[in-house]
């Protein structure tokens, strides 16, 4: 739906390929180590990935991300997660 979002979250010990299926998607990606050095982390600024871009989140880099739909139309994201979720390996939402 328009203006809806998936909050900042992680995929621990997983590799994630995300393909935005709409041009109005805004995305934030950051790495956990870059945030851990701040007592109060700086605000994360969403950006719109170029059309057809595949976003990569790996266990060591850009392993936190959030998505926000544009104001005029909804969006969809196709995620391929390797390895998949199993008991004891669960994502955490921050927000």
């Amino acid at each position: 739906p328009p203006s809806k979002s998936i909050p900042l979250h992680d995929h621990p010990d997983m590799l994630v390929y995300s393909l935005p299926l709409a041009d109005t998607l805004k995305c934030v990606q950051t790495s956990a180590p870059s945030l851990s050095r701040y007592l109060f982390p700086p605000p994360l600024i969403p950006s719109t990935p170029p059309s057809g871009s595949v976003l990569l989140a790996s266990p060591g880099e850009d392993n936190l991300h959030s998505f926000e739909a544009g104001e005029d139309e909804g969006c969809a994201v196709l995620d391929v997660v390797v390895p998949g979720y199993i008991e004891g390996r669960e994502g955490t939402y921050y927000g």
Side-chain angles (χ1 to χ4, degrees):
S3 300
K4 296 295 181 181
S5 64
I6 298 173
L8 191 67
H9 63 281
D10 64 7
H11 298 273
D13 301 319
M14 297 179 220
L15 185 64
V16 182
Y17 295 93
S18 299
L19 175 62
L21 301 176
D23 292 337
T24 60
L25 176 76
K26 293 180 184 174
C27 176
V28 166
Q29 280 192 274
T30 190
S31 300
S34 69
L35 291 179
S36 64
R37 66 179 176 219
Y38 297 101
L39 181 59
F40 298 100
L44 300 172
I45 309 300
S47 62
T48 302
S51 181
S53 295
V54 174
L55 306 172
L56 175 64
S58 70
E61 188 173 334
D62 291 335
N63 48 12
L64 298 170
H65 61 202
S66 67
F67 299 109
E68 180 182 332
E71 295 177 10
D72 297 329
E73 60 181 82
C75 68
V77 177
L78 174 64
D79 276 350
V80 176
V81 181
V82 179
Y85 288 98
I86 59 172
E87 188 173 329
R89 182 174 38 221
E90 301 167 356
T92 301
Y93 285 87
Y94 305 93

